[in-house]
Amino acid sequence: MRMDRGLIHLYHGDGKGKTTAAIGLAMRMTGYKKRVLFAQFLKNDQSGEVTALKESPYVTYFSDLDMPKGFYYDMNDEQKKALCISQRKLFEDMKQSLSLIPSEEVGLLVLDELTYVYAWGILDKEDVLSFLKNKPKTLEIVITGRKPEQELLDLADYITEMKMEKHPFLKGISARKGIEC
């Protein structure tokens, strides 16, 4: 498998499937024995996909289990500051790891929920944009999340919007293991 140029994918919208699509692409890449770096922002590792990702010898998984719990808009200033520190460390750890792996070995980088940490200023916007604009030439990148800022839309080569038309939570059905979590 040879890719001369890695592209940027953006999966966004209010519908289910953004992370699922990113994981599908990650699994496809591992099928070709290429390394995948998978960074999950604002999420813990309590979801079924994380087990599969961690068990793959081709996936390096990043998350922050010590980040403050709860929704960002419900956090006080101290919690928001702690979240910023934890998510910035996650981003730096991911970049450091990427720099240590020969570029021909890495096929894909997934930045799950990046749109949130970007839009809310949790990550430094200039740092993120610089990273994306100066990525290794052959690295494919997937960004997921809702309401992407225009700068991310402008950088993307693929843009897929997941639109919710109907969802079981509207009927009071909670997230089910193996389907939504």
Side-chain angles (χ1 to χ4, degrees), residues 9 37 49 96 110 152-153:
H9 307 236
L37 277 65
E49 72 264 14
Q96 175 71 20
V110 176
L152 297 178
L153 291 165

Side-chain angles (χ1 to χ4, degrees), residues 63-69 82 86:
S63 72
D64 181 12
L65 303 180
D66 296 325
M67 69 179 177
K69 307 297 183 242
S86 77

Side-chain angles (χ1 to χ4, degrees), residues 1-10 25 29 34 103-104 106-109 131-142 155-158:
M1 181 176 90
R2 182 171 174 241
M3 288 194 320
D4 294 327
R5 179 172 177 223
L7 302 176
I8 297 176
H9 307 236
L10 177 58
L25 195 56
M29 189 64 72
K34 295 287 278 187
S103 62
E104 66 274 4
V106 181
L108 178 67
L109 167 64
F131 172 76
L132 293 172
K133 289 176 182 176
N134 298 298
K135 70 177 188 58
K137 180 182 173 195
T138 59
L139 181 65
E140 202 82 3
I141 296 178
V142 172
L155 282 174
D157 298 291
Y158 293 90

Side-chain angles (χ1 to χ4, degrees), residues 4-5 13 29 51 62 72 74 80 92 102 109 120 154 159 162 164 166 168 178 180:
D4 294 327
R5 179 172 177 223
M29 189 64 72
T51 301
F62 299 88
Y72 184 72
D74 289 334
K80 286 179 179 180
E92 291 304 317
L109 167 64
W120 297 339
D154 292 343
I159 299 175
M162 312 303 198
M164 181 183 67
K166 188 176 186 180
E180 291 91 11

Side-chain angles (χ1 to χ4, degrees), residues 41-76:
F41 298 96
L42 304 175
K43 289 184 176 177
N44 60 34
D45 69 346
Q46 302 303 304
S47 191
E49 72 264 14
V50 174
T51 301
L53 291 170
K54 287 181 174 180
E55 288 178 358
S56 172
Y58 298 104
V59 176
T60 304
Y61 175 77
F62 299 88
S63 72
D64 181 12
L65 303 180
D66 296 325
M67 69 179 177
K69 307 297 183 242
F71 293 108
Y72 184 72
Y73 49 81
D74 289 334
M75 291 181 177
N76 62 36

